[in-house]
Amino acid sequence: MNSDATLLRNAILPLTGGPTDFDALIDRAKGKEVVLLGEASHGTHEFYRIRAEITKRLIREGGFHAVAVEADWPDAHRINRYVRGTGRDSEAIEALAGFRRFPQWMWRNTDVLDFVGWLRNWNESVADHERKGMPVQGAVAGFYGLDLYSLNASIKAVLDYLRENDPEAAKRIAERYGCFEQFGGDTRRYGLLAGSGMSGDCQRQVISALVELHGRKSTILGKDGAKASDEFFDADQNARLIRNAEEYYRTMFRQDVSSWNLRDQHMMQTLLLLREHLTKNHSSARIVVWAHNSHLGNAAATSMGARGEFNIGQLVREHFGSNSLAVGFTTHHGTVTASSDWDGPAERKRVRPGLEGSYEKLFHDTGVPNFWLDCHSDPEITALLRRTRMERAIGVIYRPDTELQSHYFRSSLPDQFDAILHYDETRAVEPLERTVEWEAGEVDETYPSGL
């Protein structure tokens, strides 16, 4: 064991699977307004399961009111209505049905299904205790999406809402959103043609629709009560998403950082608006955020920041300061659910051991399989970790043969995260729909040395 690994071993807190594993994290989260829980991949069982276990404790013991995730708003809203008992779905698996487009496994998996079922039961127990006048520890918690890919679904949601609550406005706004019809519902085609100037864009129309919706708020909200306010907020957020998604798709083919920054700026805006809404209508709002490490770790401490990208983690740190906590997740080897190409089938792939010079290899060298590490608990450990190393990021696509170029970036960990949860060997998250490729897994192979 090298000297860095030896020093680190003396500072980490091993995780044994016992009930006190996350006590240190829960203690660090006390008084925080926002807790960010990351993931090093979009397809690792342990990351989903552990985030869920931590979130349960934050809801039960810390009074957190919402889980905001890297998912589209309308799809997550269906889950939100289920867990709050206001939707039409009678089972958790039905509430996940909105996640139809690639990558379905990211939210249609067994770990999310279990958590959604738990959240519904938890909310029912809180409401039952309140009805009976019994003391309640914790609060009712909702489930919300932060992302902006759902342009078509959000258009449908806005129009469905207006047709029920303001039919005349629905007709006018439907005409404006009709601008997208010439692209056949293909958002990437819209982005390519509008962004390149080969066709007109819909920017003016989506802004006009949002302005009109805002102007109709007092008329629509003639009904009082939290339910009416929640429903308008959902429609308003969908209209904001449409405006931001239009700009995102129009810029996504540029050879710059515009689309990445627009996306994370949208996620931050959604987080702040959600917090404002929950505080106004439900007294207070403490929020847990689930997203990839690349979104939740401070981008300014990574090579992402060096090329002009920022992310929601950086924006949260700047806005909330010490009232936020960012926790990253890492793994050294195992399996992962991912695809080889965009829109490809879900595959169960082998994850290469962490490369020399990476944080993953340093953590593996401690010899402790699973652990919690507070990046700022000891000045010597902070200094050790602050030396720039490689860090791995696996999204919905994983290509082991080009891993160094495709999946590693450089970072300074203590400036990126407040703490780390490391699980040395992990396994692939289980999709609700298993493809033939996933069932087969990836055959044993000798990984190429020329990365």
Side-chain angles (χ1 to χ4, degrees):
M1 188 184 302
N2 62 47
S3 58
D4 285 352
T6 301
L7 181 62
L8 194 58
R9 183 186 176 97
N10 295 328
I12 58 182
L13 179 65
L15 301 173
T16 64
T20 63
D21 267 358
F22 309 116
D23 284 358
L25 190 160
I26 301 302
D27 187 61
R28 287 279 272 115
K30 288 180 179 176
K32 308 300 184 188
E33 297 297 322
V34 178
V35 172
L36 309 175
L37 300 178
E39 59 182 1
S41 87
H42 284 318
T44 299
H45 160 68
E46 285 78 6
F47 299 159
Y48 281 89
R49 179 176 64 84
I50 298 306
R51 285 191 306 193
E53 291 305 311
I54 293 167
T55 302
K56 291 175 187 178
R57 289 193 59 181
L58 290 172
I59 292 170
R60 286 194 309 254
E61 303 168 33
F64 277 72
H65 305 83
V67 185
V69 305
E70 187 185 339
D72 291 330
W73 179 271
D75 299 336
H77 182 66
R78 183 168 176 175
I79 295 175
N80 185 53
R81 296 188 67 187
Y82 170 76
V83 301
R84 288 181 171 273
T86 61
R88 298 177 180 177
D89 297 318
S90 59
E91 300 291 339
I93 195 166
E94 296 173 8
L96 297 179
F99 296 101
R100 297 191 183 104
R101 65 169 183 80
F102 178 87
Q104 293 91 340
W105 73 83
M106 189 171 160
W107 298 109
R108 286 187 60 79
N109 63 63
T110 56
D111 294 302
V112 173
L113 181 65
D114 288 346
F115 177 72
V116 169
W118 177 88
L119 191 53
R120 168 69 176 255
N121 291 336
W122 166 260
N123 286 340
E124 287 178 344
S125 71
V126 171
D128 187 52
H129 278 65
E130 290 176 342
R131 280 195 300 269
K132 295 177 180 177
M134 300 170 62
V136 180
Q137 182 179 12
V140 169
F143 191 95
Y144 304 90
L146 296 175
D147 225 330
L148 52 47
Y149 290 123
S150 59
L151 189 145
N152 294 318
S154 289
I155 288 175
K156 181 179 184 303
V158 171
L159 296 179
D160 285 349
Y161 172 79
L162 287 174
R163 284 165 183 149
E164 182 175 343
N165 293 277
D166 193 338
E168 291 304 314
K171 293 177 184 177
R172 293 190 296 270
I173 289 178
E175 289 180 5
R176 296 186 180 104
Y177 289 158
C179 172
F180 293 103
E181 290 180 0
Q182 62 182 302
F183 303 99
D186 187 336
T187 53
R188 292 176 66 85
R189 182 168 177 260
Y190 169 76
L192 179 61
L193 295 178
S196 64
M198 296 173 65
S199 73
D201 63 55
C202 300
Q203 182 180 22
R204 178 179 56 82
Q205 289 89 335
V206 298
I207 292 174
S208 176
L210 179 61
V211 169
E212 175 160 4
L213 181 63
H214 286 174
R216 302 292 296 170
K217 181 176 181 179
S218 59
T219 301
I220 295 172
L221 287 184
K223 299 173 288 184
D224 294 325
K227 182 175 184 294
S229 179
D230 284 344
E231 289 176 351
F232 183 86
F233 178 70
D234 171 57
D236 186 47
Q237 183 54 35
N238 275 303
R240 290 179 187 275
L241 188 156
I242 294 162
R243 180 194 63 184
N244 293 342
E246 183 279 328
E247 185 176 6
Y248 172 83
Y249 285 116
R250 190 161 34 82
T251 62
M252 68 182 295
F253 292 99
R254 294 180 186 170
Q255 298 301 312
D256 60 20
V257 301
S258 301
S259 59
W260 173 278
N261 289 350
L262 282 169
R263 184 180 171 207
D264 276 62
Q265 189 173 46
H266 171 82
M267 288 198 275
M268 181 62 179
Q269 180 189 51
T270 302
L271 178 67
L272 293 177
L273 289 169
L274 174 61
R275 185 168 177 269
E276 178 184 344
H277 173 75
L278 293 175
T279 301
K280 180 179 178 181
N281 292 276
H282 303 280
S283 300
S284 58
R286 305 177 70 198
I287 302 175
V288 186
V289 178
W290 294 3
H292 198 281
N293 284 351
S294 58
H295 290 291
L296 296 191
N298 178 15
T302 73
S303 51
M304 295 167 56
R307 59 178 179 260
E309 294 177 346
F310 58 77
N311 62 9
I312 187 174
Q314 179 179 342
L315 297 175
V316 163
R317 179 174 291 210
E318 292 170 355
H319 184 89
F320 291 97
S322 61
N323 286 325
S324 65
L325 177 71
V327 181
F329 284 65
T330 58
T331 185
H332 179 260
H333 66 279
T335 59
V336 67
T337 297
S339 180
S340 297
D341 297 287
W342 189 262
D343 273 338
E347 302 173 50
R348 183 170 36 171
K349 292 169 164 277
R350 294 184 183 276
V351 176
R352 287 176 50 93
L355 295 179
E356 196 68 45
S358 68
Y359 284 108
E360 290 81 4
K361 181 63 163 62
L362 172 64
F363 294 160
H364 173 74
D365 287 347
T366 65
V368 180
N370 308 318
F371 61 79
W372 155 266
L373 171 63
D374 188 327
C375 296
H376 301 279
S377 61
D378 180 281
E380 192 174 12
I381 294 299
T382 302
L384 183 159
L385 294 173
R386 187 161 275 143
R387 297 201 298 267
T388 302
R389 294 175 183 267
M390 293 189 297
E391 182 182 332
R392 179 162 53 198
I394 299 173
V396 296
I397 294 171
Y398 181 46
R399 294 173 176 154
D401 54 331
T402 61
E403 190 180 57
L404 180 60
Q405 296 89 345
S406 306
H407 300 290
Y408 277 94
F409 61 97
R410 302 197 69 81
S411 71
S412 175
L413 206 65
D415 301 314
Q416 184 187 10
F417 291 107
D418 298 304
I420 288 291
L421 285 165
H422 178 75
Y423 288 82
D424 207 57
E425 182 175 8
T426 52
R427 65 180 174 87
V429 73
E430 296 183 26
L432 294 183
E433 293 83 22
R434 299 185 180 189
T435 63
V436 172
E437 293 84 356
W438 195 93
E439 290 284 6
E442 191 174 72
V443 296
D444 290 336
E445 62 177 287
T446 301
Y447 289 107
S449 57
L451 294 174

